[in-house]
Amino acid sequence: MYQINALNGELLKHESAAFSGGFLGEVSPVFSETVVALDSTGLILLTISFQNGKISFQQTPISNLVKDSFGPAKIIPSSVTGIFAIKMNAVTIVIRVTDENKLEVVEKTNHETSISDALSISEGQQAFALVQHAGHEIHLRVKLAHNWDDNLLKESVKMDQHRGLVHKIYINNYIRTDKSYGFRALIVMEDHSLLLLQQGEIVWSREDGLASIIDVTTSELPVERDGVSVAKVEHNLFEWLKGHMLKLKGTLMLASPQDIAAIQSMRLKNSEKSKMTRDHNGFRKLLIVLTRAGKLFALHTGDGHIVWSHLLQSLQKSKVCQHPIGLNLYKWQVPHHHAMDENPSVLVIGKCGPSSDAPGALSFVDTYTGKELSSLSLVHSVAQVIPLPYTDSTEQRLHLLIDADKHAHLYPKTPEAISIFEREFSNIYWYSVEDDNGIIKGHALRGKCTGEVADEVCFDTRELWSIVFPSESEKIIATVTRKLNEVVHTQAKVIADQEVMYKYISRNLLFVATVALKGSGEIGSVAPEESWLVAYLIDTVTGRILHRVTHHGSQGPVHAVFSENWVVYHYFNLKVHRYEMSVIEIYDQSRADNKDVWKLVLGKHNLTSPISLYSRPDVITKSQSYFFTHSVKTIAVTSTTKGITSKQLLIGTIGDQVLALDKRFLDPRRTVNPTQAEKEEGIIPLTDSLPIIPQSYVTHALRVEGLRGIITVPAKLESTTLIFAHGVDLFFTQLAPSRTYDSLTDDFNYALLLITIVALVAAIFVTWTLSERKELQENWR
């Protein structure tokens, strides 16, 4: 106990006392000089008093308060004077502390209970709320702190079970017209949604769980079916007549507010953007997002509305799993549109606790309905997930889960999946990064598991190689690799003078950034002479370092993106006190005989010769660095369905905006005075800084508050990519890096085109008629 002078911080008194039984969990203050705690066994309540400058303990076994008590207890903290609660298994016990520090049980319930903070409603009076969750209802009571028997408010509200249990509750009060007190309750649910309750009704609700997205994937919408039932035609006809009547009333200014709302609702419903079917351009999709609360949402890209949401059972707190954590989302089953007997589904991977050896949990969810198809509680941990490029006859994708003991587990656990996996057994490689130890390792499979973990789908692994960075001089701060689903249109790149350079395309390249140990802190915490940043390109099959470059006087944080044969990374230069962006491009010199573009056109090349990563690659790299104005939160790159459209970098700035930067500005072949051939190729003259063009902000004047990630998804139109940025806010848009060369714009003037065509047809007809007449007259002469 410390007694401190609040004016000058002087320590007035210090007392300490030992308790041999130890303490467990949280402490709940009940009076200004009294707190309540649990001993280390969780079976004895300790009332600790600080009266008269002395520390005293009073022990009360929980069994004296509740006769049928069993198991250790947990304190539910409360700021209400003289009140606290404990939870034992599924039983919640509310206890009052008297002025003599005696404990009295005032309520015992089997329902989940939450207690609000105290609210002062008048001098000397405090009110608090008590919420109990019972099935499909929550019961809300507001009581005075000194009077447990009477209720100031008692209400019951029906609640959607997919929101989970009540997590927290806050109350405020207002004066009714009859001078009595009324109360509003703001409830935070287990899925992080917010609800405002007043007079037994939910006034409004917000899905604030979407402010904490941890992973995103996409799903195609269903194909529009041909053929419509008679009942649907009649219903549509009725809706059509009703809509026109409402529009007519609106035109004549006879529509009531309800009619106006109905008109707006019908417009939204009939909008092409919000249809629940695929469009021929591939703009309408479902964004499947996983939140930190363990809830899965499907968002429609047309208008952003929530199609469905589901709080996963496998990621809810339970007796078996006290601290569930969601990890990642993966596409599990993607049926072709011509065989749509099965709906697409996603795999949700989580684990039960923050430790590396915590057991994993899997959930399989239908992306059209949000129904949880099945779930698995794993006996092994999940340290790494490897989606394999193989599918079975039902189009379920094979996944390899690596546990903390370096065993590999195959899913799905079917004979067909095992057969496919065994055929490709020798072609599966992966790597692991140990940031804290500064080690990168390469792995491959060895054979079936032996010993206690023996299983048909369990495999032992072997270490192929390792790279150990010296801990006294280098620390790993960033690693990035290419997207698994990235499409590269061509390996050849035609440069000036009709020569051809060949991109070194490999899915096994890894970019690694390390900094000096002293430079791993905040920016400016070290002198330029004591810090350096090193960038590596590593082949993850052989462990061979293909390229290494050192940036002296630089430090992190490093944000990087890898695409095709190039990597761009952002860091801070301490020497000039500015941010920089560097680019590295890697090219394959083994194709040097094919430099002539005519050989490529006529097919006289060696591009079909086999390539092995175990043969020493003959590669060259080109690199360049540029100053960049902004600090960066994240970097992504546009992706298109065929990989033909030119790339743009999507940079999440410190101002929570998304900037689109043409990759041509980060071409390492830029020179101060490019030749005429280079200008024709599109090489931009070299400058020391990258330009920030205000019109290049994808978010325009908007801010994506708390920006954390940028996701790009290709549309069916090659020119267009879909962009989803998430943080506290969500932002979605379409971007055409090379403009919409394969489609007409939304503001295209179709009426003018039609008038032009009609005018041309009329002119042709008139001209032909006049020509025929003239020819006839000439023949009569």
Side-chain angles (χ1 to χ4, degrees), residues 431 481-488 505-510 540 613:
Y431 67 93
T481 186
R482 280 180 58 200
K483 280 185 179 180
L484 293 175
N485 59 351
E486 185 184 35
V487 178
V488 180
I505 305 293
S506 172
R507 296 188 186 277
N508 303 302
L509 273 183
L510 174 69
T540 58
L613 291 174

Side-chain angles (χ1 to χ4, degrees), residues 362-619:
L362 307 183
S363 289
F364 305 90
V365 181
D366 188 316
T367 61
Y368 288 172
T369 64
K371 180 182 177 183
E372 192 168 3
L373 304 174
S374 61
S375 61
L376 295 173
S377 295
L378 307 181
V379 295
H380 60 81
S381 59
V382 180
Q384 197 171 352
V385 182
I386 305 170
L388 300 175
Y390 316 118
T391 57
D392 61 15
S393 58
T394 63
E395 300 190 65
Q396 289 183 348
R397 189 168 186 177
L398 275 60
H399 288 72
L400 203 61
L401 273 61
I402 314 299
D403 64 20
D405 298 322
K406 302 302 180 186
H407 295 299
H409 304 267
L410 177 67
Y411 291 88
K413 296 181 176 183
T414 60
E416 184 187 3
I418 295 171
S419 174
I420 295 170
F421 184 73
E422 287 177 343
R423 287 201 302 269
E424 303 292 341
F425 193 84
S426 60
N427 294 327
I428 297 172
Y429 300 86
W430 71 95
Y431 67 93
S432 61
V433 180
E434 300 176 16
D435 295 338
D436 296 336
N437 300 324
I439 301 174
I440 300 176
K441 297 179 180 179
H443 307 275
L445 297 166
R446 184 167 57 190
K448 292 281 182 72
C449 289
T450 56
E452 295 181 1
V453 292
D455 189 358
E456 281 295 314
V457 294
C458 177
F459 300 88
D460 284 330
T461 64
R462 57 194 174 98
E463 184 180 314
L464 296 177
W465 54 265
S466 64
I467 298 175
V468 181
F469 297 95
S471 58
E472 64 277 1
S473 60
E474 290 186 59
K475 178 181 174 61
I476 299 173
I477 59 168
T479 58
V480 68
T481 186
R482 280 180 58 200
K483 280 185 179 180
L484 293 175
N485 59 351
E486 185 184 35
V487 178
V488 180
H489 176 61
T490 177
Q491 186 185 0
K493 180 178 180 179
V494 181
I495 59 174
D497 301 326
Q498 301 301 310
E499 288 194 354
V500 181
M501 296 181 71
Y502 293 92
K503 305 170 187 176
Y504 185 78
I505 305 293
S506 172
R507 296 188 186 277
N508 303 302
L509 273 183
L510 174 69
F511 169 79
V512 179
T514 66
V515 294
L517 200 60
K518 289 184 178 179
S520 59
E522 295 292 326
I523 290 176
S525 60
V526 64
E529 299 77 19
E530 298 178 313
S531 182
W532 56 86
L533 185 146
V534 188
Y536 297 87
L537 289 178
I538 299 172
D539 189 309
T540 58
V541 173
T542 61
R544 186 178 286 118
I545 297 176
L546 301 181
H547 181 67
R548 179 182 184 273
V549 60
T550 302
H551 301 274
H552 294 283
S554 299
Q555 69 172 138
V558 170
H559 299 279
V561 63
F562 206 140
S563 177
E564 294 189 352
N565 68 320
W566 53 266
V567 61
V568 171
Y569 52 103
H570 176 276
Y571 55 92
F572 189 77
N573 189 325
L574 291 166
K575 290 182 178 179
V576 294
H577 304 286
R578 294 179 71 177
Y579 288 101
E580 284 186 2
M581 289 184 78
S582 292
V583 58
I584 301 172
E585 291 186 357
I586 183 167
Y587 292 94
D588 188 355
Q589 283 293 93
S590 64
R591 314 293 190 185
D593 295 337
N594 304 315
K595 283 188 174 182
D596 189 356
V597 72
W598 292 109
K599 284 187 177 182
L600 184 67
V601 173
L602 298 173
K604 295 180 179 180
H605 53 71
N606 62 348
L607 295 181
T608 56
S609 59
I611 297 173
S612 172
L613 291 174
Y614 283 104
S615 60
R616 181 174 292 277
D618 184 11
V619 297

